Amino acid sequence: MHIEKRTGINIPSIIYGTSFLGNLYRELTYKEKIAIMQEWFRVSEGPVMIDTAGKYGAGLALEVIGQGLKEMNVQPGQITISNKLGWYRVPLKNKEPTFEPGIWANLKYDAIQKISYGGILECWQQGCELLGERYKPELVSVHDPDEYLTAASDDQERKGRFNDILGAYNALFELKAEGEVKSVGIGAKDWRIIKELYEHIRFDWVMLANTFTIYNHPLEVLKFMERLHTDGVCIINSAIFNAGFLTGGKYFDYRIPDRNNPKDQQLFEWREKFFEVCNQFNVSPGDACLKFALAPPQVSAVSLNPSKPERISLNKKVLDKNIPEAFWEVLTEKGIIKTPFPLLHQSL
């Protein structure tokens, strides 16, 4: 358990993502979703912390969370909810949602992006309504600010979008000042956007997605993490399996790589070498990914998104499991771990 310096919130080592509750890639039954939620509380030694968003199933995940917690009679003090804001539920007019076609299964609503001072407050209000009046997010952030900026057609539009993000954060910090939320942070797949925004906004916490994994771990990212840590910013490591590819899944960073594509061949070659070493030492690839993601002393927690209850219990056990030092040495020798980290190796 880590205590966030700026707000005093207890951050457990594992935070549970909730995109599967919003039908990411496939539709789980409601019974399966409740089983996942029940397991959160069964394996946790203290309050559970979850990460959700209005984008997850166009609000479906928020609805399932609110309804499930109520049915399970979970007290508000037993759970800490982080809600990423910026996507607003609207009626579905086509067969597929417009915001991420092909990613979400069997949705009944669509979602539109609302990133601005007023827009983010609308998202906040809708999120609270979807969760139900008993449960309220204590942590908030702007969702996908990197994608919002990347969508700009030119520098002028990017400046306008950048100001939209600053306005959204003004609104969130006002909510914090009013006591409506306790902590304001940011999550993004492009850490460079987080760094750019950090020159203007002093976040309480930062969630790095697809940024520091056993496959991808640039030295410049570690240096930025050291800066954040020195400033007292809580760091959460997310998407540590690169969307599942590192453990054998077909998706890599939310796309399906093609083994016949020369640009993707190195991904498969890396995974094959990684699996060989894992087999040699009888180490699960998922366990290696998790231990690596938590190893830097700057990282307070990882956000995991298991779609099966049994995986939740296994992940918890990994925290106390020792992996032989020789395993990491071989990964480094073979170039699977590309950048040597003395502090990282000490932690492993």
Side-chain angles (χ1 to χ4, degrees), residues 258-306:
D258 181 2
R259 190 182 288 272
N260 296 319
N261 185 334
K263 293 182 179 179
D264 288 337
Q265 283 178 1
Q266 63 87 20
L267 285 175
F268 292 95
E269 291 170 359
W270 181 94
R271 186 169 68 177
E272 288 166 4
K273 290 194 295 183
F274 175 48
F275 282 5
E276 285 176 6
V277 179
C278 288
N279 290 334
Q280 178 185 344
F281 286 87
N282 195 28
V283 172
S284 162
D287 292 358
C289 290
L290 177 53
K291 294 291 277 190
F292 187 93
L294 266 174
Q298 299 88 358
V299 174
S300 299
V302 293
S303 179
L304 302 178
N305 193 19

Side-chain angles (χ1 to χ4, degrees), residues 29-323:
T29 66
Y30 184 69
K31 184 178 180 180
E32 289 174 315
K33 294 176 181 180
I34 291 298
I36 291 171
M37 295 176 64
Q38 289 173 333
E39 194 69 2
W40 296 341
F41 295 92
R42 193 189 71 79
V43 306
S44 296
E45 297 172 358
V48 169
M49 184 171 177
I50 62 172
D51 173 61
T52 191
K55 188 179 186 180
Y56 296 164
L60 176 61
L62 289 165
E63 282 185 322
V64 170
I65 291 165
Q67 184 177 345
L69 293 175
K70 185 177 180 181
E71 289 180 7
M72 293 157 56
N73 196 29
V74 173
Q75 301 303 308
Q78 293 178 276
I79 188 162
T80 302
I81 300 174
S82 174
N83 192 15
K84 301 191 291 282
L85 306 168
W87 291 89
Y88 190 85
R89 170 185 279 189
V90 296
L92 181 65
K93 297 180 180 179
N94 304 302
K95 291 183 179 180
E96 286 266 12
T98 58
F99 64 103
E100 277 180 343
I103 299 296
W104 306 94
N106 195 26
L107 297 189
K108 303 297 188 294
Y109 294 91
D110 203 347
I112 58 173
Q113 202 166 36
K114 289 196 173 191
I115 296 181
S116 64
Y117 178 91
I120 217 72
L121 291 177
E122 290 183 67
C123 294
W124 155 255
Q125 184 61 42
Q126 187 182 70
C128 292
E129 291 170 357
L130 291 171
L131 280 170
E133 59 184 35
R134 192 177 187 193
Y135 307 100
K136 197 172 182 180
E138 294 181 87
L139 286 77
V140 290
S141 61
V142 174
H143 201 181
D144 299 333
D146 47 345
E147 294 180 7
Y148 186 67
L149 289 175
T150 302
S153 58
D154 54 36
D155 290 344
Q156 190 63 34
E157 184 181 356
R158 191 183 189 280
K159 289 179 181 177
R161 286 175 174 253
F162 195 88
N163 286 330
D164 289 342
I165 295 170
L166 296 181
Y169 272 107
N170 284 338
L172 295 184
F173 276 101
E174 285 179 11
L175 288 176
K176 180 182 175 182
E178 294 164 2
E180 293 289 339
V181 301
K182 292 183 178 180
S183 185
V184 179
I186 185 172
K189 302 178 187 72
D190 188 343
W191 70 275
R192 294 166 298 182
I193 298 301
I194 296 177
K195 185 178 181 183
E196 181 181 1
L197 286 166
Y198 191 60
E199 301 303 323
H200 302 265
I201 307 163
R202 291 301 172 182
F203 303 109
D204 297 319
W205 55 270
V206 162
M207 179 179 284
L208 300 169
N210 290 336
T211 300
F212 194 88
T213 71
I214 201 167
Y215 171 77
N216 180 49
H217 40 269
L219 185 59
E220 59 264 33
V221 171
L222 188 65
K223 290 180 178 178
F224 180 54
M225 289 163 58
E226 289 173 350
R227 176 186 173 189
L228 293 172
H229 183 69
T230 300
D231 291 347
V233 179
C234 177
I235 299 174
I236 301 167
N237 201 354
S238 174
I240 64 171
F241 308 112
N242 290 100
F245 185 83
L246 305 190
T247 56
K250 66 178 182 179
Y251 284 91
F252 176 83
D253 292 359
Y254 313 106
R255 69 180 182 86
I256 300 177
D258 181 2
R259 190 182 288 272
N260 296 319
N261 185 334
K263 293 182 179 179
D264 288 337
Q265 283 178 1
Q266 63 87 20
L267 285 175
F268 292 95
E269 291 170 359
W270 181 94
R271 186 169 68 177
E272 288 166 4
K273 290 194 295 183
F274 175 48
F275 282 5
E276 285 176 6
V277 179
C278 288
N279 290 334
Q280 178 185 344
F281 286 87
N282 195 28
V283 172
S284 162
D287 292 358
C289 290
L290 177 53
K291 294 291 277 190
F292 187 93
L294 266 174
Q298 299 88 358
V299 174
S300 299
V302 293
S303 179
L304 302 178
N305 193 19
S307 61
K308 297 179 180 179
E310 57 268 25
R311 188 65 238 182
I312 295 173
S313 178
L314 291 173
N315 287 334
K316 184 72 164 52
K317 292 177 181 176
V318 173
L319 298 182
D320 300 320
K321 183 184 294 186
N322 290 321
I323 295 179

Side-chain angles (χ1 to χ4, degrees), residues 12-27:
S13 296
I14 296 178
I15 298 167
Y16 296 108
T18 60
S19 55
F20 278 110
L21 303 183
N23 296 358
L24 178 69
Y25 303 136
R26 60 193 178 95
E27 182 179 15

